[in-house]
Amino acid sequence: MKLNKKGNLLKVLVFALSVQLLAFSVAKAQQTEIRYLSGTGSDKTVNWQFFCTAGRNSGKWTTIPVPSNWEQQGFGKYNYGHDKDSVRGKEKGLYKYNFTVPASWQGKTVKIVFEGSMTDTEVKINGKPAGAIHQGAFYSFSYDITKLLKVGKKNLLEVTVSKHSANESVNGAERRGDFWILGGIFRPVFLQALPAEHIAHVAVDGKATGAFTARLKLATATADEVSAQVFNMNGERVGSAFTTKLKAGDSVATLQTTVSSPALWTPEFPNRYRVEFTLLAKGKPVHTVQEKFGFRTVEVRERDGIYLNGVKVKFKGVNRHSFWPTTGRAMSEKMSIDDVLMIKDMNMNAVRMSHYPPDAHFLDACDSLGLMVLDELTGWHKAYDTEVGTKLVHEMIAHDVNHPSIVLWDNGNEGGHNDELDHLFDELDIQHRPLVHPWQVFREFDTQHYINWDYGNNTHLHGHKISFPTEFLHGLYDGGLGAGLEDYWESMWRNPLSAGGFLWVFADEGIARKDKNDSIDNDGSHAPDGIVGPYHEKEGSYYTIKEVWAPVHFEKKDITTAFDGQLRVENRYHFTNLNQCRFTFKLASLNGKDSATGTVNVPAIAPGNTGIITCNLPANWQQYSVLYVTAMDAHQREIFTWSWPIKLPSAIAQTMVKQEGSAAVTVAEKDSLLIATAGDVNISFHIKTGLLQTVQNGKGIIPLTNGPILVDSASSGFVKWNTRKDGNNQVISAEFAKKSLGQTLEWTIYPSGWVKMHMKYFPKEYESSLIGVNFSFPENTVKSIQWMGKGPYRVWKNRMKGGTLNVWNKEYNNTSTGEGKLIYPEFKGYYSNLYWMKLNTTGQPLTVVCSSEDIFLRLFTPKFSVTPYNTAPEFPGGDLSFMDGISAIGTKSQKADKTGPMGQKNMFFDYWKDPTRAKELTLFFNFSGKE
């Protein structure tokens, strides 16, 4: 048949298309095929047959979801790492699973991969061992099971997992750590089907210069070439393809190219690429694999710091366990993403793996969302022996090497270092990342844990090594973490030898005990160390960290009538210009009605520089009560929202306090009481002590009594009452003994039933943990509080940041932070910048308006653990206090005064008792019974 030109063209096009389709089908067919035998995570599991040898539900065949920890499925025994060997559960778990291998896998190499199994794992296929027993819980391992399989037929997988290792060094490194001991196949299990000739492993190194190197391990006899192509994440080619020729017998291939001006990976801009490798034999593709990576360079400069892409960086990091209360160490991709997002929401840029390599999907999330990672070989005070450790270092680096988020390796933790393994990190990692020994002075680093603020004589920040504490401010209950962080961070930020550090720890490692109705077990004080609770409930430190570590740092500013909308900020990013962020402002009256929003002009402010941003305020801005400024990062995530008072407490008080009324105010003595009356309001004061005794109105009693009492003095020096009229108001003033020089107290009773208390005083001691006055009020009557001030979380002297000036509402709770039923924010404690408060009770509400600036409200005494270490700060007597100075909180390992100046006692001294320097407090009480 003859074809015209058009027919010839059509034939050519059809042929070309068929070639492309063939090539596509061949390429697709030559990719590694994955088939899961287990589920992909804790949220998607597959049931296997299971037999537990001891403990709960042992001695019978049943089923268990995989992946999981068997304790959380009702089997075996719970143990924490500090438990004695004599009480440890040493049960084994026997698993069986039947699976079919497709006939299309005939002639392929098939491997079975375990991503993580606790602890010693023996694998059999169709009754025959797949290989040597694997020891080590947190590492991906595999066996070539090609010869053991029945292709196209059913196969039997049998796995025996021993919770307690036969190798004592494994038990020392993994099973005697400060964390829960769990058993089982807790990460996915899957099959890999590869062509007989294939690429066995890929390691890549993309430098900030654009230089790219890949090292491939090959299983081939006939392949003669490897080609590669870099793509961006949109699938577009980047540069040209590049190749390397193979010689007969080559088992390793190295490929190199250079990409012009690549977009670099940083925690602020986590740019990534994809590279595709193809193994060819006589020009035909044999096997194709893909890897994601990032262009970035990590280097350590001696006596200087850590540099990422040539920029000196400081790590704002946290330690993180792979853990969830109901699933133990069995995690999911969603959990990993949620954790990374929460860590980044606190304005952190780094995370340290404690104390083992994490799930692959956690590293994927760090890669894509932007967190620098310290990946760690397990070792908690004890190290793996060299034989086992060598295998596990190989497995960890092979599994994790291509993640751009990993910037350093850790060899063990706190003495769990085997020095004989150090050379492996240097030799096996194609990227030659730096290596640290956490808690040791090692190579260029001093990583000592739990240093006191300003620690060291020719060491740490006063030494010559790079200061890099891989754990600091050990959290426990409500102590540490946010408390003290501002002092540490300002010192770290300004010291050129500091590379930052890592807080301990991200979340309470409390486990939901299946043998105790899912109640949370923290093993006493061992596990409640987190910034967030076991279910990631946000504690107060969460927001303190978010503000202290915000890359936008505001210079302290008081807003006055002269304010022109300008605020001075420091750019504490490493790679982001502040004009890449978006700022907005909001003005609010806090009456639930009036507000206004607007834009903020942000000039180019380079990393490390300071500049002025300008709020485009309306002409009537002064009519509002508060200015809020919100910063959004380059990815439209909130950095923080800051607040500044426009109206001070005295101005708000003027709008709230009612003085006028129709009733005349009278004063009379009766027995030991001085009684002031305004209509149906009666207020009594003790004639000998000078303290408030009773408050009663037409609706009944308001049970505020026994105040004001100076919190730091056993005796007020009260002598007597003096009374006088001030127009329609009645003034009752106290007279004090000379030893109380400078102290004054004056009550003014208004016809409205409102009462003003004005006092001046001097702290008794030069250094005082507590400065202020107390009242008594029955806690058991309180239902909730509404208040205007910084909130919604309580504060400590060394944890002041993180709050927002607003009107807040909170129901009563008796939360003991980190223990029992957790309701956050906690109800009881200290609250800063009080404007007013209204306690809602089973009787009448108590409303108090404060017109003094910088006053703390003390709201009852929190419930503390019976073993609080340094985390039960001092509280005054009484129930309600109005404070000029409050106490600080310590950490699990440090008293508060060791965590910096903010952790020290309040210091106030005036030898001459100059009245102009006295502490001054003005409160208004609504005793009228009217809202």
Side-chain angles (χ1 to χ4, degrees), residues 472-485 503-504 529-531 541 545 796 798-799 870-871 889-892 894 899:
F472 76 106
L473 289 177
H474 193 306
L476 178 66
Y477 307 127
D478 205 26
L481 299 167
L485 178 61
L503 298 169
W504 183 269
D529 300 338
I531 303 166
S541 282
I545 295 165
W796 308 106
N798 56 347
R799 194 185 76 189
N870 305 302
T871 64
I889 194 168
T891 76
K892 188 172 187 177
Q894 296 157 293
T899 63

PDB file of all heavy atoms in Angstrom, residues 472-485 503-504 529-531 541 545 796 798-799 870-871 889-892 894 899:
ATOM      1  N   PHE A 472      19.285  21.666  77.516  1.00  0.00           N
ATOM      2  CA  PHE A 472      19.356  22.678  78.573  1.00  0.00           C
ATOM      3  C   PHE A 472      17.956  23.037  79.027  1.00  0.00           C
ATOM      4  O   PHE A 472      16.978  22.776  78.338  1.00  0.00           O
ATOM      5  CB  PHE A 472      20.167  23.903  78.131  1.00  0.00           C
ATOM      6  CG  PHE A 472      19.482  24.870  77.191  1.00  0.00           C
ATOM      7  CD1 PHE A 472      19.031  26.104  77.641  1.00  0.00           C
ATOM      8  CD2 PHE A 472      19.331  24.565  75.847  1.00  0.00           C
ATOM      9  CE1 PHE A 472      18.437  27.007  76.772  1.00  0.00           C
ATOM     10  CE2 PHE A 472      18.735  25.459  74.967  1.00  0.00           C
ATOM     11  CZ  PHE A 472      18.278  26.693  75.437  1.00  0.00           C
ATOM     12  N   LEU A 473      17.868  23.587  80.244  1.00  0.00           N
ATOM     13  CA  LEU A 473      16.595  23.938  80.889  1.00  0.00           C
ATOM     14  C   LEU A 473      15.655  22.730  80.928  1.00  0.00           C
ATOM     15  O   LEU A 473      14.596  22.711  80.303  1.00  0.00           O
ATOM     16  CB  LEU A 473      15.934  25.129  80.194  1.00  0.00           C
ATOM     17  CG  LEU A 473      16.626  26.468  80.400  1.00  0.00           C
ATOM     18  CD1 LEU A 473      15.925  27.564  79.598  1.00  0.00           C
ATOM     19  CD2 LEU A 473      16.678  26.849  81.878  1.00  0.00           C
ATOM     20  N   HIS A 474      16.059  21.733  81.693  1.00  0.00           N
ATOM     21  CA  HIS A 474      15.319  20.475  81.790  1.00  0.00           C
ATOM     22  C   HIS A 474      13.918  20.733  82.342  1.00  0.00           C
ATOM     23  O   HIS A 474      13.733  21.044  83.503  1.00  0.00           O
ATOM     24  CB  HIS A 474      16.074  19.519  82.723  1.00  0.00           C
ATOM     25  CG  HIS A 474      15.595  18.108  82.682  1.00  0.00           C
ATOM     26  ND1 HIS A 474      14.277  17.751  82.878  1.00  0.00           N
ATOM     27  CD2 HIS A 474      16.262  16.947  82.465  1.00  0.00           C
ATOM     28  CE1 HIS A 474      14.160  16.441  82.794  1.00  0.00           C
ATOM     29  NE2 HIS A 474      15.348  15.933  82.536  1.00  0.00           N
ATOM     30  N   GLY A 475      12.922  20.581  81.484  1.00  0.00           N
ATOM     31  CA  GLY A 475      11.544  20.794  81.909  1.00  0.00           C
ATOM     32  C   GLY A 475      11.095  19.744  82.907  1.00  0.00           C
ATOM     33  O   GLY A 475      11.547  18.605  82.899  1.00  0.00           O
ATOM     34  N   LEU A 476      10.208  20.133  83.781  1.00  0.00           N
ATOM     35  CA  LEU A 476       9.509  19.214  84.672  1.00  0.00           C
ATOM     36  C   LEU A 476       8.278  19.941  85.169  1.00  0.00           C
ATOM     37  O   LEU A 476       8.388  21.065  85.688  1.00  0.00           O
ATOM     38  CB  LEU A 476      10.387  18.794  85.850  1.00  0.00           C
ATOM     39  CG  LEU A 476       9.704  17.868  86.867  1.00  0.00           C
ATOM     40  CD1 LEU A 476       9.381  16.511  86.236  1.00  0.00           C
ATOM     41  CD2 LEU A 476      10.562  17.671  88.113  1.00  0.00           C
ATOM     42  N   TYR A 477       7.111  19.333  84.994  1.00  0.00           N
ATOM     43  CA  TYR A 477       5.850  19.985  85.356  1.00  0.00           C
ATOM     44  C   TYR A 477       5.791  21.364  84.685  1.00  0.00           C
ATOM     45  O   TYR A 477       5.860  21.458  83.471  1.00  0.00           O
ATOM     46  CB  TYR A 477       5.704  20.054  86.869  1.00  0.00           C
ATOM     47  CG  TYR A 477       5.881  18.707  87.544  1.00  0.00           C
ATOM     48  CD1 TYR A 477       6.777  18.517  88.593  1.00  0.00           C
ATOM     49  CD2 TYR A 477       5.167  17.587  87.100  1.00  0.00           C
ATOM     50  CE1 TYR A 477       6.944  17.272  89.192  1.00  0.00           C
ATOM     51  CE2 TYR A 477       5.329  16.346  87.696  1.00  0.00           C
ATOM     52  CZ  TYR A 477       6.218  16.196  88.733  1.00  0.00           C
ATOM     53  OH  TYR A 477       6.389  14.959  89.307  1.00  0.00           O
ATOM     54  N   ASP A 478       5.725  22.461  85.442  1.00  0.00           N
ATOM     55  CA  ASP A 478       5.668  23.792  84.820  1.00  0.00           C
ATOM     56  C   ASP A 478       7.011  24.512  84.915  1.00  0.00           C
ATOM     57  O   ASP A 478       7.088  25.719  84.719  1.00  0.00           O
ATOM     58  CB  ASP A 478       4.577  24.641  85.493  1.00  0.00           C
ATOM     59  CG  ASP A 478       4.040  25.737  84.582  1.00  0.00           C
ATOM     60  OD1 ASP A 478       4.100  25.568  83.351  1.00  0.00           O
ATOM     61  OD2 ASP A 478       3.571  26.756  85.095  1.00  0.00           O
ATOM     62  N   GLY A 479       8.066  23.789  85.247  1.00  0.00           N
ATOM     63  CA  GLY A 479       9.371  24.416  85.420  1.00  0.00           C
ATOM     64  C   GLY A 479      10.276  24.203  84.235  1.00  0.00           C
ATOM     65  O   GLY A 479      10.138  23.254  83.469  1.00  0.00           O
ATOM     66  N   GLY A 480      11.235  25.086  84.079  1.00  0.00           N
ATOM     67  CA  GLY A 480      12.173  24.993  82.976  1.00  0.00           C
ATOM     68  C   GLY A 480      11.555  25.364  81.655  1.00  0.00           C
ATOM     69  O   GLY A 480      10.478  25.942  81.592  1.00  0.00           O
ATOM     70  N   LEU A 481      12.257  25.060  80.583  1.00  0.00           N
ATOM     71  CA  LEU A 481      11.791  25.318  79.222  1.00  0.00           C
ATOM     72  C   LEU A 481      11.581  26.809  79.014  1.00  0.00           C
ATOM     73  O   LEU A 481      12.532  27.533  78.804  1.00  0.00           O
ATOM     74  CB  LEU A 481      10.547  24.478  78.924  1.00  0.00           C
ATOM     75  CG  LEU A 481      10.811  22.964  79.018  1.00  0.00           C
ATOM     76  CD1 LEU A 481       9.534  22.155  79.029  1.00  0.00           C
ATOM     77  CD2 LEU A 481      11.710  22.503  77.884  1.00  0.00           C
ATOM     78  N   GLY A 482      10.352  27.320  79.097  1.00  0.00           N
ATOM     79  CA  GLY A 482      10.157  28.755  78.922  1.00  0.00           C
ATOM     80  C   GLY A 482      10.733  29.567  80.057  1.00  0.00           C
ATOM     81  O   GLY A 482      11.200  30.692  79.856  1.00  0.00           O
ATOM     82  N   ALA A 483      10.690  29.019  81.267  1.00  0.00           N
ATOM     83  CA  ALA A 483      11.218  29.734  82.434  1.00  0.00           C
ATOM     84  C   ALA A 483      12.738  29.750  82.373  1.00  0.00           C
ATOM     85  O   ALA A 483      13.377  28.710  82.331  1.00  0.00           O
ATOM     86  CB  ALA A 483      10.742  29.075  83.724  1.00  0.00           C
ATOM     87  N   GLY A 484      13.306  30.951  82.342  1.00  0.00           N
ATOM     88  CA  GLY A 484      14.757  31.105  82.239  1.00  0.00           C
ATOM     89  C   GLY A 484      15.244  31.241  80.815  1.00  0.00           C
ATOM     90  O   GLY A 484      16.383  31.642  80.590  1.00  0.00           O
ATOM     91  N   LEU A 485      14.404  30.917  79.835  1.00  0.00           N
ATOM     92  CA  LEU A 485      14.876  30.887  78.454  1.00  0.00           C
ATOM     93  C   LEU A 485      15.330  32.257  77.968  1.00  0.00           C
ATOM     94  O   LEU A 485      16.326  32.350  77.243  1.00  0.00           O
ATOM     95  CB  LEU A 485      13.774  30.347  77.536  1.00  0.00           C
ATOM     96  CG  LEU A 485      14.132  30.299  76.041  1.00  0.00           C
ATOM     97  CD1 LEU A 485      15.336  29.393  75.794  1.00  0.00           C
ATOM     98  CD2 LEU A 485      12.935  29.837  75.218  1.00  0.00           C
ATOM     99  N   LEU A 503      16.278  22.489  74.038  1.00  0.00           N
ATOM    100  CA  LEU A 503      15.512  22.324  75.271  1.00  0.00           C
ATOM    101  C   LEU A 503      15.152  20.856  75.477  1.00  0.00           C
ATOM    102  O   LEU A 503      14.954  20.111  74.518  1.00  0.00           O
ATOM    103  CB  LEU A 503      14.230  23.150  75.199  1.00  0.00           C
ATOM    104  CG  LEU A 503      14.393  24.666  75.067  1.00  0.00           C
ATOM    105  CD1 LEU A 503      13.056  25.307  74.749  1.00  0.00           C
ATOM    106  CD2 LEU A 503      14.983  25.264  76.328  1.00  0.00           C
ATOM    107  N   TRP A 504      15.064  20.477  76.737  1.00  0.00           N
ATOM    108  CA  TRP A 504      14.553  19.133  77.061  1.00  0.00           C
ATOM    109  C   TRP A 504      13.201  19.304  77.733  1.00  0.00           C
ATOM    110  O   TRP A 504      13.126  19.829  78.810  1.00  0.00           O
ATOM    111  CB  TRP A 504      15.506  18.378  77.993  1.00  0.00           C
ATOM    112  CG  TRP A 504      14.980  16.999  78.239  1.00  0.00           C
ATOM    113  CD1 TRP A 504      14.154  16.600  79.242  1.00  0.00           C
ATOM    114  CD2 TRP A 504      15.200  15.861  77.406  1.00  0.00           C
ATOM    115  NE1 TRP A 504      13.837  15.276  79.086  1.00  0.00           N
ATOM    116  CE2 TRP A 504      14.469  14.799  77.974  1.00  0.00           C
ATOM    117  CE3 TRP A 504      15.934  15.640  76.236  1.00  0.00           C
ATOM    118  CZ2 TRP A 504      14.465  13.524  77.407  1.00  0.00           C
ATOM    119  CZ3 TRP A 504      15.920  14.373  75.691  1.00  0.00           C
ATOM    120  CH2 TRP A 504      15.198  13.327  76.277  1.00  0.00           C
ATOM    121  N   ASP A 529       8.171  16.025  81.294  1.00  0.00           N
ATOM    122  CA  ASP A 529       9.212  17.030  81.072  1.00  0.00           C
ATOM    123  C   ASP A 529       8.895  17.980  79.936  1.00  0.00           C
ATOM    124  O   ASP A 529       9.748  18.780  79.538  1.00  0.00           O
ATOM    125  CB  ASP A 529      10.553  16.331  80.740  1.00  0.00           C
ATOM    126  CG  ASP A 529      11.032  15.402  81.842  1.00  0.00           C
ATOM    127  OD1 ASP A 529      10.605  15.576  82.981  1.00  0.00           O
ATOM    128  OD2 ASP A 529      11.841  14.498  81.546  1.00  0.00           O
ATOM    129  N   GLY A 530       7.709  17.895  79.359  1.00  0.00           N
ATOM    130  CA  GLY A 530       7.483  18.531  78.071  1.00  0.00           C
ATOM    131  C   GLY A 530       7.003  19.962  78.104  1.00  0.00           C
ATOM    132  O   GLY A 530       6.464  20.458  79.096  1.00  0.00           O
ATOM    133  N   ILE A 531       7.197  20.610  76.958  1.00  0.00           N
ATOM    134  CA  ILE A 531       6.583  21.910  76.689  1.00  0.00           C
ATOM    135  C   ILE A 531       5.082  21.717  76.497  1.00  0.00           C
ATOM    136  O   ILE A 531       4.284  22.591  76.819  1.00  0.00           O
ATOM    137  CB  ILE A 531       7.180  22.539  75.416  1.00  0.00           C
ATOM    138  CG1 ILE A 531       8.693  22.676  75.549  1.00  0.00           C
ATOM    139  CG2 ILE A 531       6.546  23.895  75.104  1.00  0.00           C
ATOM    140  CD1 ILE A 531       9.382  22.978  74.234  1.00  0.00           C
ATOM    141  N   SER A 541       4.703  27.479  78.821  1.00  0.00           N
ATOM    142  CA  SER A 541       6.022  27.662  78.217  1.00  0.00           C
ATOM    143  C   SER A 541       5.956  27.672  76.689  1.00  0.00           C
ATOM    144  O   SER A 541       6.827  28.237  76.035  1.00  0.00           O
ATOM    145  CB  SER A 541       6.981  26.561  78.685  1.00  0.00           C
ATOM    146  OG  SER A 541       7.458  26.826  79.989  1.00  0.00           O
ATOM    147  N   ILE A 545       8.188  30.421  74.736  1.00  0.00           N
ATOM    148  CA  ILE A 545       9.201  30.054  73.743  1.00  0.00           C
ATOM    149  C   ILE A 545       8.878  30.711  72.408  1.00  0.00           C
ATOM    150  O   ILE A 545       9.768  31.231  71.721  1.00  0.00           O
ATOM    151  CB  ILE A 545       9.278  28.523  73.607  1.00  0.00           C
ATOM    152  CG1 ILE A 545       9.768  27.897  74.917  1.00  0.00           C
ATOM    153  CG2 ILE A 545      10.185  28.123  72.443  1.00  0.00           C
ATOM    154  CD1 ILE A 545       9.538  26.405  75.013  1.00  0.00           C
ATOM    155  N   TRP A 796       5.654  33.266  85.747  1.00  0.00           N
ATOM    156  CA  TRP A 796       6.632  33.230  86.839  1.00  0.00           C
ATOM    157  C   TRP A 796       7.591  34.395  86.625  1.00  0.00           C
ATOM    158  O   TRP A 796       7.645  34.956  85.528  1.00  0.00           O
ATOM    159  CB  TRP A 796       7.384  31.891  86.868  1.00  0.00           C
ATOM    160  CG  TRP A 796       6.502  30.698  86.878  1.00  0.00           C
ATOM    161  CD1 TRP A 796       6.267  29.835  85.853  1.00  0.00           C
ATOM    162  CD2 TRP A 796       5.702  30.230  87.976  1.00  0.00           C
ATOM    163  NE1 TRP A 796       5.380  28.852  86.221  1.00  0.00           N
ATOM    164  CE2 TRP A 796       5.012  29.075  87.536  1.00  0.00           C
ATOM    165  CE3 TRP A 796       5.506  30.676  89.279  1.00  0.00           C
ATOM    166  CZ2 TRP A 796       4.146  28.357  88.348  1.00  0.00           C
ATOM    167  CZ3 TRP A 796       4.640  29.957  90.095  1.00  0.00           C
ATOM    168  CH2 TRP A 796       3.974  28.821  89.633  1.00  0.00           C
ATOM    169  N   ASN A 798      10.609  34.451  86.055  1.00  0.00           N
ATOM    170  CA  ASN A 798      11.527  34.190  84.949  1.00  0.00           C
ATOM    171  C   ASN A 798      10.818  33.585  83.735  1.00  0.00           C
ATOM    172  O   ASN A 798      11.461  32.978  82.879  1.00  0.00           O
ATOM    173  CB  ASN A 798      12.682  33.285  85.409  1.00  0.00           C
ATOM    174  CG  ASN A 798      12.205  31.976  86.023  1.00  0.00           C
ATOM    175  OD1 ASN A 798      11.033  31.810  86.342  1.00  0.00           O
ATOM    176  ND2 ASN A 798      13.124  31.039  86.195  1.00  0.00           N
ATOM    177  N   ARG A 799       9.487  33.757  83.671  1.00  0.00           N
ATOM    178  CA  ARG A 799       8.729  33.342  82.481  1.00  0.00           C
ATOM    179  C   ARG A 799       7.597  34.337  82.257  1.00  0.00           C
ATOM    180  O   ARG A 799       6.428  34.058  82.464  1.00  0.00           O
ATOM    181  CB  ARG A 799       8.160  31.931  82.648  1.00  0.00           C
ATOM    182  CG  ARG A 799       7.676  31.333  81.307  1.00  0.00           C
ATOM    183  CD  ARG A 799       6.996  30.002  81.489  1.00  0.00           C
ATOM    184  NE  ARG A 799       5.646  30.132  82.024  1.00  0.00           N
ATOM    185  CZ  ARG A 799       4.891  29.117  82.437  1.00  0.00           C
ATOM    186  NH1 ARG A 799       5.386  27.886  82.412  1.00  0.00           N
ATOM    187  NH2 ARG A 799       3.674  29.310  82.904  1.00  0.00           N
ATOM    188  N   ASN A 870      12.650  21.407  91.864  1.00  0.00           N
ATOM    189  CA  ASN A 870      12.746  22.872  92.007  1.00  0.00           C
ATOM    190  C   ASN A 870      11.551  23.593  91.397  1.00  0.00           C
ATOM    191  O   ASN A 870      11.634  24.776  91.092  1.00  0.00           O
ATOM    192  CB  ASN A 870      14.035  23.366  91.334  1.00  0.00           C
ATOM    193  CG  ASN A 870      15.260  22.650  91.866  1.00  0.00           C
ATOM    194  OD1 ASN A 870      15.547  22.661  93.047  1.00  0.00           O
ATOM    195  ND2 ASN A 870      15.990  21.997  90.957  1.00  0.00           N
ATOM    196  N   THR A 871      10.444  22.872  91.224  1.00  0.00           N
ATOM    197  CA  THR A 871       9.336  23.416  90.446  1.00  0.00           C
ATOM    198  C   THR A 871       8.098  23.708  91.295  1.00  0.00           C
ATOM    199  O   THR A 871       6.980  23.688  90.786  1.00  0.00           O
ATOM    200  CB  THR A 871       8.967  22.462  89.293  1.00  0.00           C
ATOM    201  OG1 THR A 871       8.488  21.229  89.833  1.00  0.00           O
ATOM    202  CG2 THR A 871      10.169  22.204  88.403  1.00  0.00           C
ATOM    203  N   ILE A 889      10.572  30.112  88.981  1.00  0.00           N
ATOM    204  CA  ILE A 889      10.467  28.656  89.027  1.00  0.00           C
ATOM    205  C   ILE A 889      11.743  28.043  88.458  1.00  0.00           C
ATOM    206  O   ILE A 889      12.346  28.584  87.528  1.00  0.00           O
ATOM    207  CB  ILE A 889       9.216  28.169  88.258  1.00  0.00           C
ATOM    208  CG1 ILE A 889       8.901  26.707  88.581  1.00  0.00           C
ATOM    209  CG2 ILE A 889       9.361  28.378  86.759  1.00  0.00           C
ATOM    210  CD1 ILE A 889       7.531  26.254  88.083  1.00  0.00           C
ATOM    211  N   GLY A 890      12.162  26.929  89.034  1.00  0.00           N
ATOM    212  CA  GLY A 890      13.387  26.274  88.591  1.00  0.00           C
ATOM    213  C   GLY A 890      13.122  25.185  87.568  1.00  0.00           C
ATOM    214  O   GLY A 890      12.038  25.080  86.995  1.00  0.00           O
ATOM    215  N   THR A 891      14.122  24.370  87.338  1.00  0.00           N
ATOM    216  CA  THR A 891      14.027  23.244  86.413  1.00  0.00           C
ATOM    217  C   THR A 891      14.193  21.953  87.196  1.00  0.00           C
ATOM    218  O   THR A 891      14.399  21.968  88.412  1.00  0.00           O
ATOM    219  CB  THR A 891      15.106  23.315  85.329  1.00  0.00           C
ATOM    220  OG1 THR A 891      16.370  22.916  85.904  1.00  0.00           O
ATOM    221  CG2 THR A 891      15.246  24.711  84.762  1.00  0.00           C
ATOM    222  N   LYS A 892      14.126  20.842  86.513  1.00  0.00           N
ATOM    223  CA  LYS A 892      14.307  19.564  87.198  1.00  0.00           C
ATOM    224  C   LYS A 892      15.695  19.474  87.826  1.00  0.00           C
ATOM    225  O   LYS A 892      15.868  18.849  88.867  1.00  0.00           O
ATOM    226  CB  LYS A 892      14.104  18.404  86.218  1.00  0.00           C
ATOM    227  CG  LYS A 892      14.076  17.032  86.893  1.00  0.00           C
ATOM    228  CD  LYS A 892      13.691  15.941  85.928  1.00  0.00           C
ATOM    229  CE  LYS A 892      13.502  14.619  86.648  1.00  0.00           C
ATOM    230  NZ  LYS A 892      13.060  13.546  85.728  1.00  0.00           N
ATOM    231  N   GLN A 894      17.887  22.352  88.255  1.00  0.00           N
ATOM    232  CA  GLN A 894      18.462  23.624  88.695  1.00  0.00           C
ATOM    233  C   GLN A 894      17.463  24.427  89.516  1.00  0.00           C
ATOM    234  O   GLN A 894      16.280  24.491  89.179  1.00  0.00           O
ATOM    235  CB  GLN A 894      18.870  24.470  87.476  1.00  0.00           C
ATOM    236  CG  GLN A 894      19.971  23.868  86.634  1.00  0.00           C
ATOM    237  CD  GLN A 894      19.934  24.413  85.223  1.00  0.00           C
ATOM    238  OE1 GLN A 894      19.005  24.158  84.465  1.00  0.00           O
ATOM    239  NE2 GLN A 894      20.928  25.189  84.869  1.00  0.00           N
ATOM    240  N   THR A 899      19.328  29.931  86.886  1.00  0.00           N
ATOM    241  CA  THR A 899      18.927  30.024  85.481  1.00  0.00           C
ATOM    242  C   THR A 899      19.000  31.446  84.952  1.00  0.00           C
ATOM    243  O   THR A 899      18.473  31.721  83.870  1.00  0.00           O
ATOM    244  CB  THR A 899      17.501  29.483  85.289  1.00  0.00           C
ATOM    245  OG1 THR A 899      16.572  30.301  86.021  1.00  0.00           O
ATOM    246  CG2 THR A 899      17.388  28.042  85.761  1.00  0.00           C
TER     247      THR A 899
END
